[in-house]
Amino acid sequence: MGHRASWAALLVLSSAWQLVLGGAAGGGRRSPHNIVLILTDDQDTEIGGMTPMKKTKVLIGQAGVSFPNAFTVTPLCCPSRSSLLSGRYPHNHLVRNNSLEGNCSSLAWQKSQEPLAFPSYLQRQGYQTFYAGKYLNQYGHPAAGGVQHVPLGWTYWNGLVGNSRYYNYTLSANGREEQHGQRYQNDYLTDLITNRSLEFLQKWSHPPFLMVLAPPAAHSPWTAAPGYATAYSTTKAPRNGSFNVHGKDKHWLVRQARSPMANTSIEFLDKAYRERWQTLLSVDDLVERVVGRLKALDLLASTYVFYTSDNGYHAGQFSLPIDKRQLYEFDIRVPLLVRGPGIKANQTRLVTPAQPSAWRADFLVQYTGEGLPTGDPACPALGPGVSQCFPDCVCEDAFNNTYACVRTLHPHSLQYCEFADRQAFVELYNLTADPHQLHNVARRVDPTLLEALNQRLIKLQACEGPSCRA
C-alpha cells in the first residue's frame, strides 16, 4: 500500500483528506502543517455520545467542519484502530479481533503493517511524533515484544499496555515500564494524557509535529474523575428509535435478545450510560486545554485538530444491553470534527444523494465474530459459540456473528449485509425511509437490487492495493 493511502487513514474520510492536501501529503511549496488527532474509545453519535462535549463542539466543530456521515469500517477497537493506522480494510491488514491470536498488535502486525502506518510516513517527512494513551488492545503483551516495543514512527511514546483503564495501569514510556496506581492527581489516565501533551507542546514541539491523544473514555470501566462523579445523575439512555425493540427480522444473535428488557437490565444500562458521559467530561477538558495551549504558543493557526472515535456504541437498541460489534448505525457511526488552516468555521459536510462525493459512493464494513468453545455455565441453553453474555443470558457476540456489509451513501442510502453462517443470512435497510433500521427489507425488494449489492460487496471484499482505502 502506498504512503498516500496510509496517510489517508489519519483523515478518516475523503472529505477531511481533501482539506489538507495542501499540507504534508500534498507536496508542492507549502510548509507542512502540524496535526493533532484526538481518538476516543467507544464514543457513539447516534445515542447522544457527543452531548457532554460542549467545549469540543465549540472549539473544533464550530471553529471548523463537522462530518455527520463518518463511519468506522469495523465496530471493534483493535481492528478499527488498525484500519486507521494503516489505511486498510480488515481483510487486508488481517486484524480480526482484540486478541493476540486475532492479530491485534501481534509480531506479524508489527512487521507487516507498522512500517506502512501514517506515523512512519510522517516521521520520514521530518515530523516529530507524539503518542499518549490506548494504542491497540494487546500492545505490551509479553509475546509481542512487551513494553520495550515502541511502534515504528513515534518519537515520543506513552503507550497504554492493554485495554482502556483509568487507574492501576502500565504505560510504556519510550520503551520503559511505568506503573500507575489510583491517585487522581498522578494517575487518572485522561488527565495524564492531557498533561503530557501540554508538556510536549511546551518543551519539545518544533513544527511540524503529529500528536495523537487516545484517552480511555468512553470505554468501560467508566471511572469518572472525582469532580465529575455525580454529573448527569438523572440522565437515562434515550428511549426512542430501536430502544427495547425486538429485532424480529434480524440475525439470530439480535433476535435472541429479550424484549421487553428486564428492569434490572435497563437500570444497568442507564447507569453505564451516565458513567460514560461522566468520563467524557474529562476528554472535553483535554480538548479545551490542548487547544488553549496551541493558541498560547501561536501554533493553532498552523495546526489541524481532528476529533474522532474508533467505533460507536449501543445501550438498549434492539434490546441488546451495552456493547458494540453490531452492523447497525449506532455501532458504526463515529464523530468526526476538524479545524485547521484553510477550513472555514461552522461547516457541515455530508455525503448524501443531495451532496454526493467524487471520492466514494459506498464503503465496506466487516466484522469477525467471537465465541467461546464451550457454553456459558450460567446460560446452558445457549450452547457453545457465544460470548459477551450478560446475567440474563443475552449475548452480544458469537462465532457466526461474522458479516460483511456494503454501506451506500448515494444515489441511495442503503446497507446490505451478508452473514457467514449456515443460513447465509442477509439484511438490507433503506436508511432514508428507515433510519433506525427497524425493517429488514431483504425479502421484499427487487431481486436485481440484491444481486447488484451482492456483486458490489464481493468486489469490495476482494479489493487491495492503493485504490482500496478504508
Side-chain angles (χ1 to χ4, degrees):
M1 184 177 190
H3 293 317
R4 285 178 79 87
S6 297
W7 168 233
L10 172 61
L11 308 181
V12 189
L13 289 179
S14 63
S15 298
W17 164 233
Q18 292 165 5
L19 291 170
V20 298
L21 276 175
R29 298 179 180 178
R30 297 185 185 182
S31 298
H33 298 297
N34 309 311
I35 302 161
V36 175
L37 170 62
I38 300 162
L39 176 64
T40 57
D41 200 349
D42 288 0
Q43 187 175 11
D44 68 276
T45 62
E46 294 299 281
I47 60 170
M50 285 296 289
T51 303
M53 313 308 294
K54 293 180 171 60
K55 292 178 278 194
T56 299
K57 288 185 284 189
V58 170
L59 293 170
I60 306 179
Q62 292 181 23
V65 58
S66 301
F67 294 88
N69 279 343
F71 299 84
T72 181
V73 296
T74 182
L76 189 64
C77 302
C78 196
S80 176
R81 288 166 182 254
S82 300
S83 288
L84 188 143
L85 286 162
S86 68
R88 293 181 169 185
Y89 281 118
H91 71 270
N92 285 325
H93 64 57
L94 301 180
V95 178
R96 298 182 299 279
N97 54 47
N98 289 340
S99 71
L100 200 62
E101 295 76 18
N103 203 32
C104 178
S105 199
S106 67
L107 293 174
W109 159 268
Q110 294 168 22
K111 182 178 180 180
S112 65
Q113 302 299 318
E114 282 183 355
L116 300 177
F118 73 83
S120 296
Y121 169 67
L122 290 180
Q123 191 178 61
R124 289 193 297 270
Q125 303 305 307
Y127 274 71
Q128 286 197 98
T129 58
F130 173 92
Y131 196 100
K134 177 178 173 178
Y135 181 58
L136 301 174
N137 296 54
Q138 295 299 323
Y139 172 73
H141 193 287
V147 297
Q148 292 76 29
H149 171 67
V150 175
L152 291 174
W154 299 105
T155 314
Y156 302 96
W157 176 254
N158 298 271
L160 176 67
V161 173
N163 204 357
S164 285
R165 300 173 68 92
Y166 299 80
Y167 293 110
N168 300 309
Y169 56 86
T170 301
L171 287 182
S172 170
N174 293 322
R176 177 180 55 84
E177 182 177 298
E178 186 178 284
Q179 296 284 348
H180 286 267
Q182 52 188 7
R183 294 175 299 173
Y184 169 70
Q185 295 294 337
N186 297 326
D187 301 318
Y188 190 71
L189 182 54
T190 303
D191 288 2
L192 181 144
I193 292 168
T194 305
N195 293 332
R196 293 200 177 176
S197 69
L198 299 182
E199 184 178 355
F200 167 75
L201 290 173
Q202 191 71 39
K203 292 184 178 180
W204 295 310
S205 63
H206 302 289
F209 63 83
L210 163 71
M211 188 165 71
V212 178
L213 309 179
H219 199 286
S220 61
W222 310 307
T223 309
Y228 295 133
T230 61
Y232 303 115
S233 59
T234 61
T235 296
K236 296 181 179 181
R239 292 335 196 224
N240 59 344
S242 58
F243 181 85
N244 209 6
V245 172
H246 186 248
K248 59 183 182 299
D249 54 5
K250 292 171 171 50
H251 190 243
W252 76 267
L253 184 68
V254 179
R255 294 199 308 270
Q256 55 88 35
R258 299 180 180 183
S259 296
M261 291 182 287
N263 288 337
T264 52
S265 295
I266 294 177
E267 290 169 1
F268 170 76
L269 70 85
D270 278 338
K271 182 174 183 291
Y273 189 87
R274 287 192 294 273
E275 291 174 345
R276 283 167 52 81
W277 279 19
Q278 291 168 0
T279 66
L280 286 167
L281 290 172
S282 293
V283 181
D284 205 34
D285 291 342
L286 178 155
V287 172
E288 180 184 43
R289 293 181 68 192
V290 168
V291 171
R293 183 61 56 88
L294 288 168
K295 184 177 181 180
L297 296 173
D298 199 25
L299 293 170
L300 189 57
S302 59
T303 302
Y304 287 100
V305 182
F306 294 81
Y307 186 95
T308 191
S309 179
D310 52 4
N311 49 255
Y313 207 72
H314 59 258
Q317 283 63 46
F318 297 122
S319 299
L320 296 169
I322 53 166
D323 200 34
K324 50 267 186 177
R325 295 178 168 85
Q326 307 306 324
L327 59 89
Y328 308 105
E329 297 283 281
F330 43 73
D331 281 0
I332 65 172
R333 282 186 179 266
V334 294
L336 179 61
L337 313 174
V338 189
R339 68 170 294 166
I343 301 178
K344 295 179 180 179
N346 290 307
Q347 291 188 79
T348 300
R349 293 283 183 90
L350 293 169
V351 181
T352 66
Q355 197 179 34
S357 167
W359 195 72
R360 65 170 67 181
D362 55 25
F363 61 93
L364 178 65
V365 177
Q366 298 173 296
Y367 180 73
T368 302
E370 295 181 84
L372 300 173
T374 58
D376 187 331
C379 307
L382 294 173
V386 295
S387 64
Q388 308 296 319
C389 298
F390 286 83
D392 57 359
C393 294
V394 173
C395 300
E396 295 271 6
D397 206 4
F399 277 131
N400 66 0
N401 184 39
T402 296
Y403 56 81
C405 309
V406 56
R407 176 68 166 88
T408 71
L409 297 168
H410 67 86
H412 304 289
S413 183
L414 303 173
Q415 186 175 23
Y416 171 84
C417 302
E418 297 180 357
F419 283 83
D421 61 8
R422 293 178 180 176
Q423 293 179 283
F425 196 81
V426 173
E427 297 189 25
L428 173 64
Y429 300 96
N430 180 338
L431 277 299
T432 302
D434 180 21
H436 298 295
Q437 297 169 292
L438 300 174
H439 307 291
N440 177 9
V441 297
R443 296 183 179 181
R444 304 202 296 269
V445 299
D446 188 332
T448 59
L449 175 60
L450 293 179
E451 176 66 19
L453 290 169
N454 166 264
Q455 291 302 307
R456 179 57 181 158
L457 181 58
I458 291 172
K459 185 175 181 179
L460 284 170
Q461 288 181 284
C463 76
E464 60 182 359
S467 64
C468 184
R469 295 180 288 188

